[in-house]
Amino acid sequence: MPASSRLHWRQPRRPLVLLALGLLYGGCGWLMQRFFAPHDPFPATIWLPAGLALAAVIRWGPRVWPALLLGALAVQTLILATPWPGALLASLGAAVGPLLGGMLIRRHCSGGLPFYRLGDVLHFLWAGVGLSTLIAAAGCLLAQPWWRFPGLGDALRHLFAIWLANAAGTLFFAPPLLFLSRRDGLDPAIPRHASPLEVATVSGATLLTAALLFLGLSDPHDLYAAAPYLLIIPLMWTAARASLRTAHWLAFGILLLALAGAAGGDGVFRDSPSGLALLNAGMMVLSQSVTLLIMGALIAERGSAEERLRRANHGLEEKVAERTAQLAESEARQKQLVDAAPFPLVLSRLSDGVITYANERAEHMFKGRLDSMRGLTVDDFYVEAGTRDEVSARLRDKGQLRDHEVRLQDTAGRVFWALISCTLVRSAGTLHVITGINDISERKRLEHSLKTANEALRQHLNEIESRQSGLKEQLVRDPLTGVFNRRYLDETLPRVMAHTLALGKPLALLMLDADHFKRINDTYGHKAGDCVLSTLGARLRDSLRSNDIVCRYGGEEFLIVLPGMSLEHAIAKAEQLRRVVQQVPIEALDHTLNVTVSIGLACSPLHAEDAGCLIHAADTALYAAKSSGRDRLCVAELPAGLEVPPPRPATLAD
């Protein structure tokens, strides 16, 4: 939608606007009940408050809901005398329906009137006329006592009648009110071709005809039953030649006369069978309003397209006329102007692509004469076949082409990239193409170099990230044994203990030390000792669960964290690890060594609730194990009154 067709809404001044809106809502309800309900065999034929509510929401947004709710409640209780529970349900439906439909329309139309595009009109019809009125009708139906409808068919007929009244009221009242709220009276999307006198004449004649049909004409034999629907013709003329605003206000006047005649029993609807005059008027409201909305949107879209095309054609015609005048003055001046261009310029026929003239810079670029006597065509310089057809098609479609990249070749066969801009001109009745050419081979080379450099930089960054990941892993791993180091333990153990304590679960800590490890180093050498430590770390890691943590604490000491393991299970697991190390010899270089370990065990929260104290307890137990003969397990001392449970046999689950 054009920017000028968007609305500049003013914020409502509370509470004056809300009070006025509520009073107007109640007044419309009283008007419908006073003049239309006594003559209507249906629950309602047209309900103007529905149109007022939808227009208010589109105009001011959801802030008007108190006025809509109070106005609807006043109509239900004071005018229609509906009992309170039913009145509240009906009022909620009458307020929620327009609020939902209006907000959907505001969101879809981005603050503009929903009448200038077919998509906006269809959105207005389904959200504002369909959904909004259906919710309001459902609220009114739920407000009725259930015994009034013996069957489902009766309830559906009543629901349809209420929906029809709300839909007719919305179509009748909402468009004129929305157009009234605009600051200007013009439709920017529609070129206005009719004079004010013509518009006034057609509008006056249409209203006079409508007054004759609906207020003065008697039609006992239904000879003029279709005549009211012919009034859509002057409405379409007004929408196409004047403005949508004028057309909708003219339709409002026609429909107002139709309703007045039907309510008063006058005009072509006076002798309708079964007293359905107001129903016929309501159906006319629906048909005429929907037709005007859809056709008006189509006319607006076509007018907008015509206006854009007219402006484009006007600009193109001015350029062509100017160029034609210059060509008519002097062929020599034309060549002089082309030669004076600061870039290569080529003139060719659009029909067959024959080059008629080229300036000196173009001949220097293509390394040869390009005059018309040689019969050269632009196809001789395009590398890809069919490029001229593509350029010609785009020129015929848009009249010009800007900054289009192509591959060209000169008379020596050198291929290069070029940026061309083309414009259509008419000379002596023939369409010509003026093509400006810019050699961008150097730019393409730089782009390729930049792309290559970016790819190399990306690979380098990936390599750096990979190395950073490896370095990060090295920071927490012991290079000899492959298990975690003490730094990782210091960072992880407090966090794991806090987590298990928060979950109310135990945590066991094993501290292992290789017995007589100094003797191995002294006897077999430090390389053999390294093999022992590496093998010992691998066996410990393979004998534990995936969530257990094995760390090299220092020298020949290892520390194992067993999250969620009780003291009893930890004792069994420690005994299993001790036997695994004891029973399987270790191959260290050319030596087979029998290695044993001493183990100290402490458990959280039994022995301590912080990492430092728990490690100290396990270390103390390890010292006791080594002091009492090595190759054994010792459990840290327990508080008074607690005993260490006996070890249980280890299982595969451990």
Side-chain angles (χ1 to χ4, degrees):
M1 182 180 296
S4 56
S5 65
R6 299 190 182 278
L7 301 182
H8 303 283
W9 301 122
R10 293 180 178 177
Q11 299 297 326
R13 297 180 180 177
R14 290 187 175 183
L16 295 180
V17 172
L18 297 182
L19 178 61
L21 180 60
L23 292 176
L24 185 59
Y25 190 101
C28 290
W30 175 84
L31 181 67
M32 295 294 97
Q33 179 67 15
R34 174 67 176 82
F35 293 100
F36 296 117
H39 304 277
D40 196 351
F42 286 86
T45 295
I46 183 168
W47 188 246
L48 293 184
L52 174 65
L54 182 64
V57 175
I58 297 175
R59 170 63 172 84
W60 287 302
R63 60 179 62 87
V64 300
W65 71 266
L68 299 183
L69 183 60
L70 293 178
L73 198 60
V75 169
Q76 292 294 329
T77 55
L78 301 179
I79 299 176
L80 301 180
T82 306
W84 268 101
L88 185 58
L89 282 175
S91 301
L92 285 174
V96 171
L99 279 173
L100 181 58
M103 291 309 299
L104 289 175
I105 294 172
R106 283 172 64 93
R107 181 178 180 182
H108 180 78
C109 299
S110 302
L113 283 179
F115 306 126
Y116 292 101
R117 295 189 303 181
L118 183 60
D120 294 342
V121 167
L122 296 179
H123 201 80
F124 174 80
L125 290 176
W126 86 262
V129 180
L131 178 63
S132 170
T133 56
L134 184 61
I135 294 175
C140 292
L141 181 66
L142 294 175
Q144 303 296 326
W146 60 270
W147 59 81
R148 288 189 56 185
F149 310 109
L152 179 61
D154 296 327
L156 292 177
R157 282 192 294 272
H158 192 78
L159 176 65
F160 175 74
I162 299 175
W163 174 84
L164 186 64
N166 282 272
T170 300
L171 290 170
F172 174 72
F173 211 26
L177 290 178
L178 289 174
F179 277 107
L180 182 64
S181 63
R182 285 182 61 95
R183 293 183 178 181
D184 59 338
L186 302 178
D187 295 331
I190 304 177
R192 286 160 289 280
H193 305 292
S195 65
L197 180 60
E198 290 176 329
V199 176
T201 302
V202 173
S203 300
T206 303
L207 291 176
L208 184 61
T209 304
L212 178 63
L213 286 173
F214 300 128
L215 299 179
L217 186 65
S218 177
D219 188 22
H221 302 292
D222 292 336
L223 297 178
Y224 305 102
Y229 297 94
L230 297 178
L231 295 174
I232 194 64
I233 297 175
L235 291 178
M236 294 298 99
W237 183 91
T238 305
R241 305 286 294 182
S243 67
L244 283 181
R245 176 192 179 101
T246 306
H248 277 279
W249 274 104
L250 182 58
F252 180 76
I254 294 172
L255 298 177
L256 194 62
L257 291 173
L259 292 176
D266 299 322
V268 293
F269 295 141
R270 176 175 61 184
D271 300 308
S272 298
S274 305
L276 300 181
L278 282 174
L279 179 60
N280 290 334
M283 294 303 296
M284 179 183 172
V285 169
L286 287 175
S287 62
Q288 179 172 294
S289 299
V290 171
T291 303
L292 179 58
L293 285 171
I294 294 177
M295 295 302 297
L298 293 175
I299 291 171
E301 288 182 345
R302 179 176 178 179
S304 177
E306 290 178 351
E307 181 65 16
R308 291 195 300 268
L309 182 60
R310 186 191 65 81
R311 292 177 181 177
N313 288 337
H314 180 70
L316 183 59
E317 288 175 358
E318 287 183 350
K319 293 180 180 179
V320 172
E322 180 181 357
R323 178 61 64 185
T324 302
Q326 293 176 358
L327 292 175
E329 289 178 2
S330 172
E331 184 71 19
R333 181 172 178 81
Q334 181 194 49
K335 294 181 179 181
Q336 181 182 2
L337 292 174
V338 173
D339 288 337
F343 48 84
L345 204 63
V346 176
L347 183 65
S348 62
R349 284 199 298 264
L350 178 64
S351 57
D352 53 11
V354 172
I355 298 174
T356 58
Y357 189 73
N359 63 4
E360 184 179 352
R361 289 180 173 82
E363 293 180 344
H364 177 73
M365 173 182 287
F366 290 100
K367 296 180 173 58
R369 298 287 297 173
L370 302 179
D371 52 45
S372 58
M373 300 300 295
R374 301 187 61 184
L376 296 174
T377 67
V378 293
D379 287 327
D380 297 329
F381 301 97
Y382 284 126
V383 175
E384 287 84 5
T387 303
R388 188 183 73 85
D389 295 335
E390 177 187 354
V391 172
S392 299
R394 296 180 65 175
L395 282 173
R396 288 189 176 95
D397 182 37
K398 299 182 179 180
Q400 61 182 3
L401 183 65
R402 291 289 180 266
D403 298 334
H404 182 64
E405 293 185 359
V406 296
R407 294 179 65 203
L408 302 177
Q409 60 183 356
D410 58 21
T411 55
R414 181 183 69 92
V415 177
F416 61 95
W417 279 97
L419 196 68
I420 64 172
S421 296
C422 307
T423 301
L424 280 180
V425 296
R426 185 177 295 277
S427 176
T430 303
L431 284 175
H432 287 74
V433 180
I434 298 179
T435 304
I437 308 170
N438 182 21
D439 189 346
I440 58 171
S441 300
E442 182 64 18
R443 193 191 78 181
K444 282 290 186 178
R445 187 187 64 80
L446 293 176
E447 288 178 354
H448 178 73
S449 300
L450 181 60
K451 182 178 180 181
T452 304
N454 287 336
E455 184 64 27
L457 179 60
R458 188 179 298 108
Q459 294 178 359
H460 185 59
L461 289 176
N462 292 337
E463 182 180 352
I464 291 175
E465 291 177 357
S466 176
R467 292 181 178 180
Q468 286 179 344
S469 177
L471 290 175
K472 187 175 181 180
E473 182 70 14
Q474 291 176 10
L475 289 176
V476 296
R477 289 283 182 181
D478 178 60
L480 176 62
T481 61
V483 300
F484 291 109
N485 57 21
R486 184 166 181 173
R487 176 178 180 178
Y488 180 81
L489 176 70
D490 294 339
E491 294 177 354
T492 305
L493 182 57
R495 184 172 66 253
V496 175
M497 287 186 65
H499 180 70
T500 55
L501 288 174
L503 296 178
K505 294 182 178 181
L507 180 142
L509 191 68
L510 303 179
M511 184 171 285
L512 293 84
D513 184 85
D515 296 331
H516 304 295
F517 185 74
K518 186 176 182 301
R519 184 184 304 168
I520 295 175
N521 279 336
D522 294 342
T523 304
Y524 302 102
H526 287 280
K527 289 187 177 181
D530 291 343
C531 290
V532 170
L533 292 178
S534 178
T535 305
L536 186 59
R539 288 185 182 179
L540 294 177
R541 185 172 61 248
D542 296 339
S543 301
L544 297 171
R545 302 171 299 178
S546 60
N547 63 330
D548 295 334
I549 302 171
V550 183
C551 301
R552 184 181 179 187
Y553 194 65
E556 67 274 16
E557 291 182 341
F558 292 86
L559 198 146
I560 301 175
V561 182
L562 305 172
M565 186 172 289
S566 64
L567 180 60
E568 176 185 359
H569 290 80
I571 292 173
K573 172 57 72 175
E575 286 292 340
Q576 179 198 11
L577 295 176
R578 187 186 63 80
R579 288 193 298 271
V580 166
V581 176
Q582 178 194 55
Q583 295 172 2
V584 182
I586 295 177
E587 297 294 331
L589 299 180
D590 297 330
H591 308 284
T592 300
L593 304 178
N594 293 316
V595 180
T596 61
V597 292
S598 300
I599 304 175
L601 169 62
C603 191
S604 171
L606 188 60
H607 297 102
E609 294 186 2
D610 66 274
C613 294
L614 190 64
I615 293 175
H616 178 73
D619 187 44
T620 303
L622 174 62
Y623 181 77
K626 296 182 76 68
S627 299
S628 57
R630 293 183 173 82
D631 190 21
R632 65 190 63 215
L633 165 70
C634 283
V635 181
E637 294 184 359
L638 297 175
L642 296 179
E643 295 181 356
V644 178
R648 66 176 183 86
T651 64
L652 292 176
D654 297 326

